[in-house]
């Protein structure tokens, strides 16, 4: 749940998402669910020349499994907190595995 | 023959006329009017005078071809006269047009007085009068139906001017006598208005159906119309009433729709009147059932109300305007009032239409249906939230740590960050309960209660199921080859099923044992992680701190003691993990574990958090450790700029900055409270254990020295320093000064134009304050060049930067009693 928890804090921030088919989309993250499906608003496709069919798309829902990267706004990430959250997550996982 | 399928024939008609009298039953109204006239001695137009006597002219012998003409075999046989008259329907109608108009006027006059009379009679001798009234009403209605033919109405209007003469007769009738006539309708309208202000649609629909004559703009007929109009509304109204305009079975149906059927019947009333007289659906059913004689009761009621002043509430919505129930009244109003009224009316119509649109789906779902849906939604909610519904904040924090804490730090999107979804579900449950319980009906309440219980049980079951599920992630059906693995939102189906090595038999313990060098990268990182986990455990403990125990509360004291015990053991764990107390191995190639710990950014970042959880003794130990190993600290060791390099590499500079930001404040915080002897001891350590000249060439090294020197100066200024201690300090200081003096010019970072040298001036100022006058002299000589350089350089800089640089220099100059201003 760490990533879900993390992405939830990025709602209404601008993120760039790279899909596994190399399309890169920048938009405002509207919501994310536990499968890391992503809803984007006000989108902008970065290599629009290559994907003209996306030129009129204004918002989209991206299935979590097709996402390769999510580029985050640096200022919106609390690194120290994220580190701690990661440690907790690891501890939880270790606790569950045992 | 009636439009609405009622038997509208009068007893008299039944006798004389068969069922096939033709569609236009002309004689009826006049006969009826004559009856009414007989009841009420009226000096108006004499009916006999105006009766064209068509009926008398009928020749029964000449109806031989009636069948050919009308196609009805039996039509002529029964009532030949009627057929004969009906044949030339337009002509006949036109002939009697005047009479019709007059009769309307007269009826209007008779009506108000007739009603009370009927009521009186009803009171005296109920049975006979009642029937007569009923028949009269029905007859009247049937009489007007035939004029619903739209083609006929223009005639009526055209002739209306002719009434100018005959109008004289009604005119002299005093206003008082006319007054009750209006108020009868007024009262009716008031009643309906009060019970149902939601008349709908008609303003849009009716006028279209009723062609041009339906609405007569008042100014057009200033004289003739007033008497003509009021005749119709009550008529229509009663007709509508009797016919049960709104079938009781269709309460949801807007009144406007049945209205459309009725509309063509009537000739004349403007739409606004119709709207006002709309019948409330809830009022209708009883009247519909009472069909044969509804008007009596109603009239009685009306009469009673007539005598009373209209209730003030009815005037409310019109805002002081009189309640308008028929166009005549409208006519009496001033232009302004009329406009206001029309606007009001349009508003009402609009609102009613909106309500109608909104309420179209009303009653489609029963409460049971709604409950069912609610249950499904709740179930989904529970399923989506997993077992969060019952989770305490701890569990939520464990699952959703980042989001929860981040929200707390940066302003939560959720109002209450600890509020899990389950609370939401619970609130929702409660809300539904209240709503259902609010009905007041005991049975409804009970069933709602039952329902709530069922729902709660279901939610509980769902929650339990959600909790139980992860335990058996796989299902192996006997005889099948594969496994079926379950997944849910919280534990998605695993793609890989890797068995974790148990920590007891894994290689890790061995590694720990074999970890002779405590400072290889991996073990350092492991150490850091264990420090962090200890830290987090301590922070958790802090949150769960029990309230301070009260005197005599043994349990609370016990609890508190246990908590302290736990905190203490965690503290020990943290301390061990820090490895501060590892023996110092002189001349070792591997750095001390704690120093290695500090060489990683996250190790540095941990220091402020660690300092919050350790006591003073542990703090001084850490400080001592750092001071002793000042040489080998990465931020000191690597910060020495190599030959030919102006400053250390970017990575090193970053770690220096981090150290200055993370570690130094903690150390400074301690030093500012440290007793003087510790400061002396630390300075002694610096001198004894480290290579002062190289340490002094780094920012961190100088920072620590500055820290110590300034603290000593503060202690001295405060007069807290014992004489013996001070002597000791001066001794150490002198050693330091002597050691540093030759390299004072080198402690500046690179050339004048590189980077920030403020910390150097701070250090020099700290030295200058504590130095003797002779030492100050030497100090000035040592750094004179740099001072002059900086002053000269600052002249080439923009004003703000220049003043900043000069301010730095001044820090030092002031410390030794000088000022850059003196340098010109």
């Amino acid at each position: 749940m760490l990533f879900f928890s993390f992405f939830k804090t990025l709602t209404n921030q601008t993120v760039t998402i790279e899909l596994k088919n190399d399309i890169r989309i920048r938009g405002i993250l509207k919501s994310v669910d536990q499968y890391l499906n992503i809803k984007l608003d006000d989108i902008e496709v970065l290599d629009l020349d290559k994907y003209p069919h996306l030129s009129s798309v204004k918002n989209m829902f991206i299935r979590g499994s097709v996402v390769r990267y999510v580029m985050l706004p640096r200022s919106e990430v609390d690194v120290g907190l994220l580190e701690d959250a990661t440690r907790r997550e690891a501890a939880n996982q270790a606790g569950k595995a045992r | 023959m009636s439009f609405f399928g009622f038997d509208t024939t009068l007893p008299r008609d039944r006798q004389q006329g068969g069922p096939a009298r033709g569609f236009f039953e002309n004689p009826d109204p006049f006969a009826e009017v004559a009856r009414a006239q007989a009841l009420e001695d009226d000096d108006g137009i004499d009916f006999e005078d105006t009766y064209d006597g068509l009926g008398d002219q009928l020749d029964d012998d000449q109806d031989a071809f009636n069948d050919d003409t009308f196609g009805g075999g039996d039509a002529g046989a029964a009532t030949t006269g009627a057929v004969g008259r009906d044949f030339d329907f337009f002509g006949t109608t036109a002939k009697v047009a005047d009479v019709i108009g007059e009769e309307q006027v007269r009826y209007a006059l008779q009506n108000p007085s007739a009603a009370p009379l009927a009521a009186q009679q009803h009171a005296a001798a109920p049975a006979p009068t009642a029937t007569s009234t009923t028949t009269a009403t029905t007859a009247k209605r049937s009489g007007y139906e035939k004029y619903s033919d739209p083609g006929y109405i223009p005639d009526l209007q055209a002739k209306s001017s002719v009434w100018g003469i005959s109008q004289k007769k009604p005119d002299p009738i005093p206003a008082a006598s006319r007054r009750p006539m209006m108020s009868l309708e007024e009262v009716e309208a008031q009643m309906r208005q009060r019970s149902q202000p939601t008349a709908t649609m008609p303003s849009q629909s009716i006028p279209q159906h009723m062609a041009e004559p339906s609405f007569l703009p008042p100014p057009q007929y200033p004289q003739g119309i007033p008497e003509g109009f009021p005749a119709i509304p009550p008529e229509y109204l009663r007709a509508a009433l009797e016919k049960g305009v709104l079938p009781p079975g269709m309460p949801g149906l807007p009144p406007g729709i049945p209205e459309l059927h009725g509309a063509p019947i009537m000739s004349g009333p403007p739409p606004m009147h119709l709207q006002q007289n709309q019948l409330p659906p809830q009022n209708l059913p009883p009247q519909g059932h009472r069909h044969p004689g509804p008007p009596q009761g109603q009239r009685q009621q009306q009469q009673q109300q007539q005598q009373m002043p209209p209730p003030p509430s009815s005037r409310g919505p019109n805002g002081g305007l009189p309640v308008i129930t028929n166009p005549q009244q409208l006519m009496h109003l001033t232009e302004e009032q009329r406009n206001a009224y029309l606007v009001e009316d349009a508003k009402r119509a609009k609102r009613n239409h909106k309500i109608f649109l909104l309420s179209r789906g009303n009653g489609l779902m029963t409460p049971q249906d709604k409950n069912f849906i609610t249950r499904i939604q709740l179930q989904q909610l529970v399923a989506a939230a997993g077992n969060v519904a019952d989770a305490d904040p701890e569990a939520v924090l464990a699952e959703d740590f980042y989001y929860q804490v981040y929200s707390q730090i940066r302003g939560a999107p959720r109002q209450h960050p600890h509020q899990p979804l389950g609370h939401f579900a619970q609130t929702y449950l409660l809300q539904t309960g209240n709503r259902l319980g609010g009905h007041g009906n005991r049975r409804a309440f009970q069933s709602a209660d039952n329902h709530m219980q069922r729902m709660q049980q279901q939610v509980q079951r769902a929650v339990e199921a959600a909790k139980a599920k992860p335990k058996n992630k796989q299902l192996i059906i006997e005889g099948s080859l594969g496994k079926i693995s379950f997944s849910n939102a919280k534990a998605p189906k695993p793609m890989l099923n890797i068995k974790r090595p148990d920590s007891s038999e894994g290689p890790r313990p061995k590694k720990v044992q074999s970890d002779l060098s405590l400072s290889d990268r991996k073990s350092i990182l492991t150490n850091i992680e264990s420090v962090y986990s200890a830290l987090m455990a301590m922070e958790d403990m802090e949150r769960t701190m029990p309230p301070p125990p009260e005197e005599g509360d043994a349990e609370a004291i016990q609890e508190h003691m246990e908590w302290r015990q736990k905190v203490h053991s965690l503290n020990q764990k943290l301390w061990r993990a820090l490895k501060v107390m590892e023996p110092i191995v002189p001349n070792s190639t591997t750095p001390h574990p704690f120093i290695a710990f500090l060489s990683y950014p996250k190790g540095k970042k941990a220091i402020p958090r660690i300092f919050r959880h350790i006591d003073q003794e542990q703090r001084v130990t850490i400080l001592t450790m750092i001071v002793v190993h000042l040489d080998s600290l990465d931020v000191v060791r690597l910060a020495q700029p190599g030959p030919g390099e102006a400053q250390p590499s970017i990575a090193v500079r970053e770690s220096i900055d981090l150290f200055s930001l993370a570690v130094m404040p903690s150390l400074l915080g301690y030093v500012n409270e440290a007793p003087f002897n510790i400061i002396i001891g630390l300075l002694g350590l610096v001198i004894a254990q480290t290579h002062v000249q190289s340490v002094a060439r780094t920012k961190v090294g100088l920072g620590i020295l500055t820290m110590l020197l300034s603290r000593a100066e503060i202690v001295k200024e405060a007069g807290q320093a014992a004489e013996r201690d001070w002597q000791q300090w001066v001794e150490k200081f002198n050693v330091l000064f002597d050691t540093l003096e030759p390299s004072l010019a080198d402690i500046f970072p690179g050339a004048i134009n590189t980077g920030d040298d403020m910390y150097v001036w701070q250090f020099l100022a700290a030295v200058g304050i504590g130095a003797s006058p002779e030492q100050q002299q030497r100090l000035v000589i040592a750094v004179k060049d740099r001072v002059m350089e900086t002053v000269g350089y600052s002249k080439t800089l923009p004003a703000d930067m220049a003043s900043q640089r000069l301010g730095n220099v001044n820090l030092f100059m002031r410390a030794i009693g000088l000022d850059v201003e003196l340098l010109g």
Side-chain angles (χ1 to χ4, degrees), chain B residues 472-495:
Chain B
N472 42 353
K473 280 179 193 157
Q474 287 180 333
L475 172 71
I476 303 171
I477 297 170
E478 214 174 329
S480 73
L481 293 174
K483 301 172 190 169
I484 301 166
S485 38
F486 301 121
S487 67
N488 62 20
K490 305 197 72 194
K493 193 169 161 182
M495 281 295 155

Side-chain angles (χ1 to χ4, degrees), chain B residues 546-561:
Chain B
E550 289 167 27
E551 204 64 37
D553 189 349
E555 202 176 307
I557 291 173
Q558 177 70 19
E559 197 185 340
H560 205 74
M561 291 302 291

Side-chain angles (χ1 to χ4, degrees), chain A residues 78-89:
Chain A
D78 188 330
V79 178
L81 182 60
L82 187 56
E83 283 174 0
D84 269 13
T86 313
R87 290 184 184 107
R88 275 175 179 274
E89 184 78 359

Side-chain angles (χ1 to χ4, degrees), chain B residues 775-786:
Chain B
Q775 280 168 332
Q776 282 179 354
Q777 200 102 42
R778 285 154 65 190
L779 198 60
V780 169
I781 291 165
V783 299
K784 187 185 66 188
D785 290 350
R786 182 74 179 196

Side-chain angles (χ1 to χ4, degrees), chain A residues 1-2 5-6 8-9 34-35 75-78 81-85 87-88 92-93 96-97, chain B residues 398-403 405-406 409-410 414 489-490 500 529 532 536 539-540 543 602 605 609:
Chain A
M1 295 298 270
L2 172 64
S5 185
F6 172 67
K8 271 201 288 181
T9 66
Q34 65 266 26
Y35 303 104
S75 60
E76 297 301 322
V77 183
D78 188 330
L81 182 60
L82 187 56
E83 283 174 0
D84 269 13
R87 290 184 184 107
R88 275 175 179 274
N92 283 348
Q93 293 297 323
K96 274 181 193 167
Chain B
E399 282 295 333
D400 203 9
F401 179 78
Y402 182 80
Y403 177 75
V405 178
Y406 188 94
I409 295 171
R410 300 220 182 176
R414 222 184 275 191
K490 305 197 72 194
R500 274 168 209 272
E529 284 311 313
Y532 269 106
M536 288 196 298
E539 282 162 3
D540 276 351
R543 273 192 299 122
K602 52 180 174 177
K605 281 184 213 161
R609 291 168 72 177

